[in-house]
Amino acid sequence: MNTPCYVFDFDKFEERAVAITSALPNIPLTYSIKANPFLLGDLPDEIAHVEVCSPGELEICKMLNIPGSRIIYSGVVKGEEDVHEALEYGVDIITCESLRHAALIQEENVKVKALLRLTSGNQFGMSYEDIEYIIENREEHFSNLDVIGLHFYSGTQKNLRKINKDLEKIDKALSSLKSKTGFEPRLIEYGPGLCVEYFQGDNNDVLEMEHLSEAAEVLKKFSDKYPLGVEMGRFLAAPTGSFFTKVVDKKNSMDTDYLLVDGGIHHLNYFGQKMAMEVPPISTISNGYKYSIEEMEAHKGNVRKNSFEADYCICGSLCTVADVLVREATLPELNVGDVICFERCGAYSVTEAPALFLSRELPSIFTKRGDKYTLVRDVVKASKINVKGL
Protein backbone atom coordinates (compact mmCIF):
# COMPACT_ATOMS: atom_id res chain seq x y z
CA MET A 1 0.00 0.00 0.00
CA ASN A 2 1.35 3.40 -0.96
CA THR A 3 1.49 5.96 1.80
CA PRO A 4 0.79 8.66 2.77
CA CYS A 5 -2.93 8.60 2.07
CA TYR A 6 -6.24 9.85 3.44
CA VAL A 7 -9.47 7.93 3.95
CA PHE A 8 -12.73 9.86 4.37
CA ASP A 9 -15.72 7.94 5.68
CA PHE A 10 -19.12 8.88 4.24
CA ASP A 11 -20.94 6.82 6.90
CA LYS A 12 -19.39 8.89 9.68
CA PHE A 13 -20.25 12.07 7.76
CA GLU A 14 -23.88 11.00 7.52
CA GLU A 15 -23.97 9.93 11.18
CA ARG A 16 -22.75 13.37 12.25
CA ALA A 17 -25.27 15.14 10.00
CA VAL A 18 -28.09 13.00 11.44
CA ALA A 19 -26.94 13.75 15.00
CA ILE A 20 -26.95 17.50 14.34
CA THR A 21 -30.35 17.60 12.66
CA SER A 22 -31.81 15.37 15.37
CA ALA A 23 -30.56 17.78 18.04
CA LEU A 24 -31.76 20.78 16.01
CA PRO A 25 -35.05 19.72 14.39
CA ASN A 26 -36.58 22.13 11.88
CA ILE A 27 -33.33 24.13 11.72
CA PRO A 28 -31.74 23.75 8.26
CA LEU A 29 -28.10 22.62 8.19
CA THR A 30 -25.42 24.04 5.89
CA TYR A 31 -22.06 22.33 5.28
CA SER A 32 -19.07 24.65 4.76
CA ILE A 33 -17.13 22.77 2.12
CA LYS A 34 -13.82 24.49 2.89
CA ALA A 35 -13.56 21.96 5.74
CA ASN A 36 -13.29 19.11 3.22
CA PRO A 37 -14.59 19.25 -0.36
CA PHE A 38 -14.03 15.49 -0.85
CA LEU A 39 -17.05 14.79 1.35
CA LEU A 40 -19.31 16.31 -1.31
CA GLY A 41 -19.12 13.04 -3.21
CA ASP A 42 -21.95 11.62 -1.10
CA LEU A 43 -23.85 14.50 0.48
CA PRO A 44 -26.37 13.46 3.17
CA ASP A 45 -30.00 14.48 2.67
CA GLU A 46 -29.89 16.13 6.11
CA ILE A 47 -27.71 18.90 4.66
CA ALA A 48 -29.92 21.56 3.11
CA HIS A 49 -27.19 23.80 1.67
CA VAL A 50 -23.45 23.80 1.11
CA GLU A 51 -21.47 26.97 1.59
CA VAL A 52 -18.85 27.85 -1.01
CA CYS A 53 -16.39 30.68 -0.46
CA SER A 54 -14.54 30.94 -3.77
CA PRO A 55 -14.91 30.45 -7.53
CA GLY A 56 -12.87 27.26 -7.18
CA GLU A 57 -15.27 25.80 -4.64
CA LEU A 58 -18.17 26.68 -6.91
CA GLU A 59 -16.38 24.85 -9.74
CA ILE A 60 -16.08 21.77 -7.50
CA CYS A 61 -19.84 21.88 -6.93
CA LYS A 62 -20.40 22.07 -10.67
CA MET A 63 -18.12 19.08 -11.33
CA LEU A 64 -19.98 17.05 -8.70
CA ASN A 65 -23.40 18.17 -9.94
CA ILE A 66 -24.37 19.87 -6.68
CA PRO A 67 -27.43 21.89 -7.77
CA GLY A 68 -27.31 25.65 -7.43
CA SER A 69 -30.46 25.46 -5.33
CA ARG A 70 -28.35 23.85 -2.55
CA ILE A 71 -25.57 26.46 -2.59
CA ILE A 72 -24.94 29.52 -0.45
CA TYR A 73 -22.17 31.58 -2.05
CA SER A 74 -20.11 33.29 0.64
CA GLY A 75 -16.56 34.66 0.82
CA VAL A 76 -14.97 38.05 1.35
CA VAL A 77 -13.55 38.54 -2.16
CA LYS A 78 -16.17 38.50 -4.89
CA GLY A 79 -15.69 40.07 -8.27
CA GLU A 80 -18.18 40.93 -10.97
CA GLU A 81 -17.46 37.69 -12.84
CA ASP A 82 -17.81 35.63 -9.65
CA VAL A 83 -21.27 37.02 -8.89
CA HIS A 84 -22.39 36.57 -12.48
CA GLU A 85 -21.13 32.97 -12.67
CA ALA A 86 -22.84 32.08 -9.40
CA LEU A 87 -26.17 33.50 -10.49
CA GLU A 88 -25.88 31.93 -13.91
CA TYR A 89 -25.45 28.54 -12.22
CA GLY A 90 -28.58 29.15 -10.17
CA VAL A 91 -26.98 29.65 -6.76
CA ASP A 92 -29.75 29.96 -4.20
CA ILE A 93 -28.31 32.61 -1.85
CA ILE A 94 -25.38 35.04 -2.02
CA THR A 95 -23.87 36.74 1.01
CA CYS A 96 -22.90 40.41 1.02
CA GLU A 97 -19.69 41.13 2.89
CA SER A 98 -19.62 44.83 1.98
CA LEU A 99 -21.42 47.67 0.26
CA ARG A 100 -19.43 46.80 -2.87
CA HIS A 101 -20.87 43.27 -2.88
CA ALA A 102 -24.36 44.73 -2.68
CA ALA A 103 -23.54 46.99 -5.63
CA LEU A 104 -22.20 44.07 -7.68
CA ILE A 105 -25.40 42.12 -7.13
CA GLN A 106 -27.49 45.16 -8.02
CA GLU A 107 -25.71 45.37 -11.39
CA GLU A 108 -26.94 41.88 -12.34
CA ASN A 109 -30.48 43.19 -12.98
CA VAL A 110 -32.12 40.09 -11.54
CA LYS A 111 -33.71 39.56 -8.15
CA VAL A 112 -31.21 37.80 -5.87
CA LYS A 113 -31.74 36.30 -2.43
CA ALA A 114 -29.06 37.89 -0.26
CA LEU A 115 -27.78 37.53 3.28
CA LEU A 116 -26.02 40.57 4.75
CA ARG A 117 -23.05 39.44 6.82
CA LEU A 118 -22.70 41.21 10.14
CA THR A 119 -19.07 41.54 11.23
CA SER A 120 -17.91 39.99 14.48
CA GLY A 121 -15.08 42.52 14.70
CA ASN A 122 -12.65 41.44 11.99
CA GLN A 123 -12.26 41.75 8.20
CA PHE A 124 -15.31 39.56 7.54
CA GLY A 125 -18.74 41.05 7.06
CA MET A 126 -19.82 44.66 7.43
CA SER A 127 -20.77 47.06 10.15
CA TYR A 128 -24.28 47.32 11.51
CA GLU A 129 -24.45 50.82 10.03
CA ASP A 130 -23.77 49.51 6.50
CA ILE A 131 -26.40 46.81 6.91
CA GLU A 132 -28.93 49.36 8.07
CA TYR A 133 -28.06 51.57 5.09
CA ILE A 134 -28.66 48.75 2.59
CA ILE A 135 -32.00 47.83 4.13
CA GLU A 136 -33.15 51.45 4.37
CA ASN A 137 -32.27 52.01 0.72
CA ARG A 138 -33.43 48.69 -0.72
CA GLU A 139 -36.06 50.13 -3.00
CA GLU A 140 -34.05 53.09 -4.26
CA HIS A 141 -30.49 51.75 -4.61
CA PHE A 142 -30.62 47.97 -4.05
CA SER A 143 -33.86 46.92 -5.65
CA ASN A 144 -32.35 43.70 -7.01
CA LEU A 145 -31.42 42.50 -3.52
CA ASP A 146 -34.04 40.34 -1.90
CA VAL A 147 -32.53 40.70 1.55
CA ILE A 148 -33.70 37.58 3.36
CA GLY A 149 -31.65 38.00 6.52
CA LEU A 150 -28.24 38.11 8.17
CA HIS A 151 -25.18 35.90 8.19
CA PHE A 152 -22.92 35.71 11.26
CA TYR A 153 -19.83 33.70 12.14
CA SER A 154 -17.23 34.63 14.74
CA GLY A 155 -14.83 31.69 14.79
CA THR A 156 -14.40 28.05 15.69
CA GLN A 157 -13.88 25.90 18.81
CA LYS A 158 -16.33 28.06 20.78
CA ASN A 159 -17.78 27.33 24.18
CA LEU A 160 -21.38 27.98 25.18
CA ARG A 161 -20.58 31.39 26.64
CA LYS A 162 -19.23 32.62 23.29
CA ILE A 163 -22.22 31.19 21.42
CA ASN A 164 -24.58 33.04 23.76
CA LYS A 165 -22.58 36.22 23.20
CA ASP A 166 -22.95 35.78 19.42
CA LEU A 167 -26.70 35.29 19.64
CA GLU A 168 -27.07 38.34 21.86
CA LYS A 169 -25.24 40.45 19.25
CA ILE A 170 -27.44 39.13 16.43
CA ASP A 171 -30.59 39.72 18.48
CA LYS A 172 -29.53 43.27 19.26
CA ALA A 173 -28.91 44.01 15.57
CA LEU A 174 -32.24 42.50 14.48
CA SER A 175 -34.19 44.34 17.19
CA SER A 176 -32.65 47.62 16.07
CA LEU A 177 -33.34 46.91 12.38
CA LYS A 178 -36.96 46.10 13.13
CA SER A 179 -37.38 49.26 15.19
CA LYS A 180 -35.75 51.54 12.60
CA THR A 181 -36.72 49.90 9.29
CA GLY A 182 -39.39 47.31 10.05
CA PHE A 183 -37.09 44.58 8.71
CA GLU A 184 -38.20 40.98 9.42
CA PRO A 185 -35.66 38.27 8.50
CA ARG A 186 -36.58 35.05 6.69
CA LEU A 187 -33.24 33.41 7.56
CA ILE A 188 -30.45 33.95 10.07
CA GLU A 189 -27.50 31.88 8.88
CA TYR A 190 -25.29 31.29 11.93
CA GLY A 191 -22.07 29.33 12.37
CA PRO A 192 -21.86 28.23 16.01
CA GLY A 193 -18.29 26.90 15.62
CA LEU A 194 -18.88 23.99 17.98
CA CYS A 195 -15.82 22.61 19.74
CA VAL A 196 -14.22 19.49 18.23
CA GLU A 197 -12.30 17.19 20.57
CA TYR A 198 -9.27 16.38 18.45
CA PHE A 199 -6.79 14.93 20.84
CA GLN A 200 -6.17 11.69 22.65
CA GLY A 201 -9.09 10.23 24.56
CA ASP A 202 -11.60 7.42 24.41
CA ASN A 203 -14.71 9.58 24.56
CA ASN A 204 -14.15 12.26 21.93
CA ASP A 205 -17.49 11.59 20.23
CA VAL A 206 -19.31 11.60 23.56
CA LEU A 207 -17.81 14.95 24.51
CA GLU A 208 -18.73 16.43 21.15
CA MET A 209 -22.31 15.25 21.49
CA GLU A 210 -22.39 16.95 24.90
CA HIS A 211 -21.21 20.19 23.27
CA LEU A 212 -23.95 19.80 20.65
CA SER A 213 -26.61 19.12 23.27
CA GLU A 214 -25.63 22.19 25.31
CA ALA A 215 -25.62 24.44 22.25
CA ALA A 216 -28.88 22.98 20.97
CA GLU A 217 -30.80 24.35 23.94
CA VAL A 218 -29.85 27.97 23.26
CA LEU A 219 -30.05 27.57 19.46
CA LYS A 220 -33.58 26.16 19.64
CA LYS A 221 -34.59 28.99 21.94
CA PHE A 222 -33.20 31.50 19.44
CA SER A 223 -35.02 29.74 16.59
CA ASP A 224 -38.31 30.26 18.43
CA LYS A 225 -37.77 33.98 17.92
CA TYR A 226 -36.04 34.05 14.50
CA PRO A 227 -35.88 31.69 11.45
CA LEU A 228 -32.48 30.14 12.16
CA GLY A 229 -30.15 28.08 9.97
CA VAL A 230 -26.87 26.61 11.26
CA GLU A 231 -23.66 26.34 9.31
CA MET A 232 -20.92 23.87 10.20
CA GLY A 233 -17.72 22.61 8.64
CA ARG A 234 -15.22 21.35 11.20
CA PHE A 235 -17.84 19.76 13.46
CA LEU A 236 -19.31 17.80 10.54
CA ALA A 237 -16.06 16.75 8.88
CA ALA A 238 -13.47 16.18 11.62
CA PRO A 239 -14.49 12.64 12.70
CA THR A 240 -14.63 11.36 9.11
CA GLY A 241 -10.91 11.34 8.32
CA SER A 242 -7.95 9.00 8.79
CA PHE A 243 -4.40 9.64 7.62
CA PHE A 244 -1.99 6.76 7.02
CA THR A 245 1.75 7.40 6.98
CA LYS A 246 4.64 4.91 6.94
CA VAL A 247 7.70 4.82 9.18
CA VAL A 248 10.68 5.23 6.84
CA ASP A 249 13.45 5.75 9.39
CA LYS A 250 14.05 5.29 13.11
CA LYS A 251 16.85 6.66 15.25
CA ASN A 252 17.86 7.81 18.71
CA SER A 253 19.44 11.19 19.14
CA MET A 254 20.25 12.82 22.49
CA ASP A 255 18.03 10.37 24.37
CA THR A 256 15.05 10.90 22.05
CA ASP A 257 13.61 8.09 19.95
CA TYR A 258 12.60 9.51 16.59
CA LEU A 259 10.27 8.02 13.99
CA LEU A 260 10.55 9.61 10.54
CA VAL A 261 7.43 9.14 8.43
CA ASP A 262 6.63 9.78 4.78
CA GLY A 263 3.88 12.25 5.70
CA GLY A 264 4.25 15.47 7.61
CA ILE A 265 2.75 18.80 8.63
CA HIS A 266 2.06 19.46 4.95
CA HIS A 267 -0.59 16.72 5.21
CA LEU A 268 -1.77 16.80 8.81
CA ASN A 269 -2.92 19.94 10.58
CA TYR A 270 -4.99 19.58 13.72
CA PHE A 271 -6.56 22.78 14.95
CA GLY A 272 -5.04 23.97 18.22
CA GLN A 273 -1.91 21.83 17.98
CA LYS A 274 0.89 23.90 19.54
CA MET A 275 4.32 22.70 18.41
CA ALA A 276 2.97 19.12 18.31
CA MET A 277 2.53 18.99 22.09
CA GLU A 278 -0.94 17.46 21.80
CA VAL A 279 -1.44 13.79 20.95
CA PRO A 280 -4.27 12.94 18.55
CA PRO A 281 -5.86 9.48 18.45
CA ILE A 282 -3.29 7.15 16.87
CA SER A 283 -3.44 3.55 15.64
CA THR A 284 -0.46 1.48 14.53
CA ILE A 285 -0.19 -1.26 11.92
CA SER A 286 2.69 -3.71 11.86
CA ASN A 287 4.27 -4.22 8.42
CA GLY A 288 1.59 -1.93 7.01
CA TYR A 289 3.43 -1.57 3.70
CA LYS A 290 2.23 -5.08 2.81
CA TYR A 291 -1.47 -4.26 3.00
CA SER A 292 -4.16 -2.76 0.81
CA ILE A 293 -6.11 0.18 2.21
CA GLU A 294 -8.92 -2.16 3.25
CA GLU A 295 -6.46 -4.44 5.05
CA MET A 296 -4.71 -1.52 6.72
CA GLU A 297 -7.94 -0.31 8.29
CA ALA A 298 -8.73 -3.87 9.40
CA HIS A 299 -5.26 -4.23 10.96
CA LYS A 300 -5.26 -1.04 13.01
CA GLY A 301 -3.69 -1.83 16.36
CA ASN A 302 -2.39 -5.21 15.15
CA VAL A 303 1.06 -4.88 16.72
CA ARG A 304 3.75 -7.47 17.31
CA LYS A 305 3.35 -9.97 20.11
CA ASN A 306 5.48 -9.22 23.16
CA SER A 307 6.18 -5.73 21.87
CA PHE A 308 6.98 -3.10 24.44
CA GLU A 309 5.93 0.53 24.53
CA ALA A 310 8.22 3.45 23.82
CA ASP A 311 7.98 7.22 23.77
CA TYR A 312 8.48 8.44 20.22
CA CYS A 313 8.88 11.83 18.64
CA ILE A 314 7.13 11.51 15.27
CA CYS A 315 8.54 13.76 12.55
CA GLY A 316 7.68 14.19 8.89
CA SER A 317 9.51 14.33 5.60
CA LEU A 318 10.09 18.09 5.31
CA CYS A 319 13.42 19.83 5.79
CA THR A 320 12.23 22.11 8.56
CA VAL A 321 12.43 21.72 12.33
CA ALA A 322 8.72 22.61 12.41
CA ASP A 323 7.78 19.26 10.85
CA VAL A 324 6.91 17.52 14.11
CA LEU A 325 3.59 15.67 14.10
CA VAL A 326 3.74 14.64 17.75
CA ARG A 327 6.45 15.68 20.19
CA GLU A 328 5.98 12.65 22.44
CA ALA A 329 3.61 9.72 21.97
CA THR A 330 3.70 6.43 23.87
CA LEU A 331 3.23 3.69 21.29
CA PRO A 332 3.97 0.00 20.82
CA GLU A 333 7.41 -0.72 19.41
CA LEU A 334 7.53 0.47 15.80
CA ASN A 335 10.05 -0.13 13.05
CA VAL A 336 10.63 0.84 9.43
CA GLY A 337 7.70 -0.36 7.32
CA ASP A 338 5.11 -0.04 10.06
CA VAL A 339 2.26 2.38 9.48
CA ILE A 340 0.80 5.00 11.79
CA CYS A 341 -2.81 6.06 11.37
CA PHE A 342 -3.88 9.47 12.66
CA GLU A 343 -7.61 9.70 13.30
CA ARG A 344 -10.13 12.59 13.37
CA CYS A 345 -8.40 14.54 10.61
CA GLY A 346 -11.38 14.89 8.26
CA ALA A 347 -11.48 18.69 8.54
CA TYR A 348 -8.98 21.00 6.86
CA SER A 349 -5.84 18.81 6.83
CA VAL A 350 -6.39 17.80 3.21
CA THR A 351 -6.68 21.42 2.03
CA GLU A 352 -5.26 23.73 4.71
CA ALA A 353 -1.79 22.29 5.28
CA PRO A 354 1.15 23.62 3.16
CA ALA A 355 0.89 20.77 0.67
CA LEU A 356 3.30 22.13 -1.97
CA PHE A 357 6.19 22.85 0.39
CA LEU A 358 9.36 20.96 -0.64
CA SER A 359 7.53 19.58 -3.71
CA ARG A 360 6.64 16.34 -1.97
CA GLU A 361 3.86 14.31 -3.58
CA LEU A 362 0.27 15.09 -2.63
CA PRO A 363 -1.21 11.98 -0.99
CA SER A 364 -3.77 9.72 -2.58
CA ILE A 365 -7.32 10.04 -1.27
CA PHE A 366 -9.87 7.29 -0.69
CA THR A 367 -13.50 7.59 0.27
CA LYS A 368 -15.34 4.88 2.11
CA ARG A 369 -19.01 3.83 2.22
CA GLY A 370 -19.64 0.68 4.22
CA ASP A 371 -16.93 -1.80 3.21
CA LYS A 372 -16.34 -0.22 -0.19
CA TYR A 373 -13.28 1.97 -0.75
CA THR A 374 -12.97 4.26 -3.76
CA LEU A 375 -9.79 5.95 -4.96
CA VAL A 376 -10.93 9.49 -5.78
CA ARG A 377 -7.50 11.07 -6.22
CA ASP A 378 -4.26 9.31 -7.01
CA VAL A 379 -0.88 10.67 -5.99
CA VAL A 380 -0.21 14.12 -7.47
CA LYS A 381 3.34 15.19 -8.35
CA ALA A 382 3.83 18.54 -6.62
CA SER A 383 7.01 19.05 -8.63
CA LYS A 384 4.94 19.49 -11.79
CA ILE A 385 2.73 22.09 -10.12
CA ASN A 386 5.72 23.97 -8.72
CA VAL A 387 7.46 24.21 -12.11
CA LYS A 388 4.93 24.47 -14.89
CA GLY A 389 1.52 23.50 -13.57
CA LEU A 390 -0.54 20.41 -14.25
Side-chain angles (χ1 to χ4, degrees):
M1 173 60 206
N2 291 326
T3 56
C5 68
Y6 300 97
V7 176
F8 300 123
D9 192 325
F10 288 135
D11 292 322
K12 291 182 179 179
F13 188 42
E14 185 174 9
E15 287 170 10
R16 184 52 62 97
V18 169
I20 294 167
T21 54
S22 296
L24 299 170
N26 304 315
I27 297 176
L29 175 62
T30 294
Y31 173 54
S32 299
I33 75 168
K34 58 181 174 286
N36 188 339
F38 291 95
L39 292 173
L40 287 177
D42 196 347
L43 199 61
D45 293 337
E46 287 76 13
I47 293 174
H49 282 95
V50 297
E51 182 208 30
V52 305
C53 292
S54 71
E57 288 189 341
L58 180 62
E59 187 64 27
I60 290 172
C61 288
K62 288 181 177 181
M63 289 188 286
L64 294 175
N65 297 314
I66 305 297
S69 59
R70 288 184 83 177
I71 295 174
I72 296 176
Y73 195 108
S74 189
V76 290
V77 177
K78 295 186 185 79
E80 183 178 346
E81 291 183 1
D82 303 327
V83 172
H84 181 77
E85 181 184 10
L87 295 178
E88 193 173 56
Y89 187 61
V91 162
D92 189 31
I93 300 168
I94 294 185
T95 67
C96 289
E97 297 265 355
S98 64
L99 291 174
R100 180 174 181 272
H101 281 185
L104 287 175
I105 294 172
Q106 177 64 22
E107 291 173 4
E108 286 295 315
N109 292 320
V110 293
K111 204 73 170 181
V112 179
K113 285 194 289 184
L115 290 169
L116 307 183
R117 182 168 181 178
L118 176 64
T119 186
S120 62
N122 49 35
Q123 74 269 37
F124 302 104
M126 63 183 107
S127 67
Y128 168 83
E129 290 75 19
D130 283 349
I131 288 175
E132 183 181 302
Y133 173 79
I134 291 172
I135 292 174
E136 283 184 332
N137 293 275
R138 281 177 292 177
E139 295 184 7
E140 185 176 357
H141 298 303
F142 303 105
S143 57
N144 291 329
L145 271 71
D146 177 14
V147 179
I148 63 171
L150 301 185
H151 179 268
F152 189 85
Y153 176 77
S154 66
T156 190
Q157 299 294 84
K158 288 186 291 192
N159 57 32
L160 191 59
R161 182 185 63 82
K162 291 181 179 179
I163 292 172
N164 274 314
K165 189 175 179 180
D166 285 349
L167 297 178
E168 288 170 6
K169 181 171 184 176
I170 298 168
D171 185 40
K172 182 179 178 181
L174 289 169
S175 296
S176 180
L177 288 171
K178 183 176 181 180
S179 173
K180 293 180 179 180
T181 69
F183 178 71
E184 296 272 6
R186 308 196 312 266
L187 176 64
I188 302 302
E189 183 75 2
Y190 172 58
L194 291 183
C195 184
V196 170
E197 299 291 340
Y198 277 120
F199 301 115
Q200 205 164 62
D202 297 327
N203 60 344
N204 301 62
D205 286 315
V206 172
L207 288 173
E208 288 172 2
M209 290 303 100
E210 289 176 0
H211 299 325
L212 174 61
S213 180
E214 289 177 350
E217 293 304 311
V218 297
L219 292 171
K220 285 188 287 189
K221 185 177 179 180
F222 187 85
S223 71
D224 290 337
K225 188 173 182 180
Y226 300 108
L228 178 66
V230 294
E231 175 185 297
M232 298 184 186
R234 188 183 304 274
F235 195 78
L236 271 163
T240 70
S242 301
F243 177 70
F244 293 86
T245 182
K246 182 170 59 185
V247 178
V248 294
D249 204 351
K250 179 181 179 179
K251 59 187 175 183
N252 181 279
S253 178
M254 300 181 70
D255 296 324
T256 298
D257 287 321
Y258 287 96
L259 297 176
L260 285 299
V261 298
D262 57 5
I265 59 170
H266 52 319
H267 303 144
L268 199 65
N269 186 15
Y270 289 101
F271 181 90
Q273 193 169 7
K274 306 293 185 183
M275 289 300 293
M277 297 304 290
E278 300 284 0
V279 181
I282 295 173
S283 299
T284 59
I285 305 146
S286 296
N287 299 317
Y289 68 95
K290 295 182 178 180
Y291 298 126
S292 67
I293 188 63
E294 294 90 344
E295 291 169 329
M296 284 220 293
E297 287 227 319
H299 283 81
K300 286 180 186 177
N302 182 21
V303 299
R304 294 176 184 83
K305 294 180 180 179
N306 303 319
S307 67
F308 61 87
E309 290 187 334
D311 293 330
Y312 292 111
C313 180
I314 305 174
C315 300
S317 57
L318 301 180
C319 290
T320 168
V321 293
D323 194 7
V324 180
L325 294 176
V326 180
R327 184 69 61 188
E328 184 176 314
T330 302
L331 299 172
E333 180 187 18
L334 292 172
N335 291 303
V336 172
D338 293 340
V339 170
I340 300 172
C341 176
F342 292 87
E343 305 283 2
R344 304 184 74 77
C345 60
Y348 292 104
S349 279
V350 70
T351 53
E352 189 178 48
L356 297 180
F357 183 54
L358 221 71
S359 296
R360 290 283 185 181
E361 293 179 342
L362 277 66
S364 55
I365 295 172
F366 294 84
T367 56
K368 176 186 177 186
R369 171 65 85 174
D371 295 327
K372 182 181 179 182
Y373 292 78
T374 302
L375 177 65
V376 295
R377 189 186 79 187
D378 209 342
V379 169
V380 176
K381 296 280 188 180
S383 55
K384 293 182 179 180
I385 300 173
N386 286 347
V387 173
K388 55 185 178 180
L390 288 172

